[in-house]
Amino acid sequence: MTTRTETITLGGGCFWCLEAVFDRVAGVLDVESGYCNGRAELHPPTYEQVCTGQTGFVEVVKLVFDPAQIGLRDLLVIFFGIHDPTSLNRQGNDVGTQYRSGIYWHDPAQVALAREVMADLPNATEVVTELAPVAHYSAAEAYHQDYFLQHPNQGYCAFVVAPKLDKFLRVFAQHVRPD
């Protein structure tokens, strides 16, 4: 029997934070850190290029999930619960267009649901999350994949990623993948 999967790409600050959380969500089959929605002539960009903030690319995670185990609505609720969708081009001390909040859809049916979830947020009138089709996607360099898992004691991981992961584990316990 083949599992039907769906894909969504999300940007909400540093991809290390998003990846650390979504790697632990039951029903998420694959999480890949990458870049999308930047200038076509720079595709694929390097991390160093993206960090300049001049490429238009955003740090994202591409999620492949089993909708029979977790729906897109739940994934988006988690997404909005672990980052600040009202902060334009920044998350905490990470500043620049590469850290913008975005939902990059792979199927037009995902747009209506994303709009519904955004409209239901308590601060909906302040949300600056970009909603656009995914374009010019490329995987980030290999050393970015599973970064938190490999470097949990690295400074940024310990002081920025770990608290977001802890919040997810506390607030969204019903969605944590059993070990």
Side-chain angles (χ1 to χ4, degrees):
M1 187 164 120
T2 305
T3 301
R4 185 177 75 84
T5 63
E6 291 184 28
T7 303
I8 191 77
T9 300
L10 304 171
C14 177
F15 44 36
W16 297 344
C17 294
L18 295 175
E19 181 185 57
V21 167
F22 286 107
D23 268 344
R24 288 161 179 80
V25 175
V28 173
L29 307 174
D30 187 50
V31 181
E32 180 178 72
S33 291
Y35 315 107
C36 74
N37 289 54
R39 296 190 351 236
E41 71 272 15
L42 298 176
H43 183 257
T46 64
Y47 179 68
E48 290 73 21
Q49 289 172 319
V50 173
C51 284
T52 70
Q54 303 301 307
T55 66
F57 282 92
V58 59
E59 289 191 17
V60 295
V61 288
K62 181 173 74 171
L63 308 179
V64 177
F65 62 98
D66 177 354
Q69 294 182 51
I70 188 163
L72 179 58
R73 179 179 299 277
D74 287 331
L75 290 173
L76 293 177
V77 168
I78 292 167
F79 169 66
F80 284 116
I82 61 167
H83 86 291
D84 179 1
T86 66
S87 183
L88 184 62
N89 298 329
R90 80 175 300 148
Q91 289 296 306
N93 290 329
D94 293 331
V95 179
T97 57
Q98 68 271 28
Y99 301 117
R100 67 188 180 266
S101 176
I103 300 170
Y104 305 99
W105 49 271
H106 293 248
D107 177 335
Q110 295 173 331
V111 176
L113 182 58
R115 285 190 177 126
E116 282 178 28
V117 172
M118 288 192 290
D120 288 343
L121 294 172
N123 52 357
T125 59
E126 302 170 32
V127 170
V128 295
T129 302
E130 179 176 52
L131 181 58
V134 68
H136 312 299
Y137 176 84
S138 62
E141 295 82 352
Y143 70 91
H144 288 296
Q145 308 303 326
D146 299 314
Y147 194 86
F148 178 76
L149 186 63
Q150 296 175 32
H151 308 282
N153 297 318
Q154 185 262 6
Y156 187 91
C157 290
F159 294 104
V160 178
V161 181
K164 287 189 181 209
L165 179 57
D166 290 343
K167 179 182 180 181
F168 162 72
L169 295 172
R170 225 179 30 259
V171 176
F172 299 101
Q174 73 275 21
H175 294 295
V176 176
R177 178 190 320 273
D179 287 333

